[in-house]
Amino acid sequence: MDYGDKLFWLSVVIQRKYAQICAEFDLTPSQATLLCAIRNEPRQMADLAASLGMTKNALSQLVDRTARRELVDRAGSAQDRRVVMLSATPTGKVLAEAFYAEVRKRLPEIARNLDADDQRDFERVATAIVDTSDLSPPTSE
């Protein structure tokens, strides 16, 4: 297997672990990602679509499904009526915080068979990849 193959299979390992945690919280991976992206602060729908790599229409459909579960709310922006802000409801925030804590705890398990030095290297490389990516996470942690 070449490097591209290894990266493909690494993405499968990560996605599988993430999907398993999502299922335990009765969330689809898309709903979980959405909730985590807005758990700390409201975000503009357009910015969120770009950050998540989704079309505005696909995000709107995801928000509709998640809003039916009373996990997210849409609101107009006070500064610009054309801007739609998305935030977690109180129930959504509690769920997002619990889910996110579980992901942070369990996702590193994918590297559990590496020795301590390799785990540190993996963390360093993963951090560098995310920090230099075109993701635009919210400013607060």
Side-chain angles (χ1 to χ4, degrees):
M1 266 194 251
D2 71 9
Y3 182 58
D5 290 330
K6 296 291 187 183
L7 288 175
F8 168 78
W9 287 110
L10 175 60
S11 75
V12 170
V13 168
I14 292 170
Q15 289 175 62
R16 189 173 56 196
K17 175 65 86 172
Y18 188 73
Q20 177 186 33
I21 299 167
C22 290
E24 292 169 13
F25 282 82
D26 192 30
L27 293 167
T28 67
S30 296
Q31 288 172 328
T33 301
L34 174 64
L35 283 174
C36 288
I38 62 171
R39 75 186 193 288
N40 290 328
E41 63 189 17
R43 305 262 320 258
Q44 289 185 19
M45 291 273 292
D47 292 345
L48 202 49
S51 294
L52 300 178
M54 301 176 78
T55 65
K56 291 177 187 176
N57 186 48
L59 178 59
S60 186
Q61 291 174 11
L62 172 61
V63 169
D64 288 344
R65 290 189 305 275
T66 311
R68 281 194 290 274
R69 293 187 58 190
E70 299 180 354
L71 300 175
V72 298
D73 278 327
R74 284 186 181 106
S77 167
Q79 294 80 20
D80 186 341
R81 292 182 311 166
R82 298 168 296 176
V83 173
V84 177
M85 300 297 292
L86 187 66
S87 61
T89 64
T91 301
K93 183 162 179 56
V94 168
L95 182 61
E97 291 296 343
F99 172 79
Y100 194 74
E102 194 66 15
V103 167
R104 287 184 62 158
K105 181 177 92 176
R106 290 179 39 202
L107 204 52
E109 292 172 2
I110 65 166
R112 71 181 172 274
N113 293 326
L114 301 177
D115 66 34
D117 287 341
D118 285 344
Q119 286 184 19
R120 281 190 295 278
D121 287 344
F122 187 74
E123 180 181 359
R124 181 183 53 75
V125 170
T127 299
I129 290 169
V130 171
D131 288 351
T132 60
S133 73
D134 61 355
L135 293 176
S136 56
T139 53
S140 60
E141 176 56 36

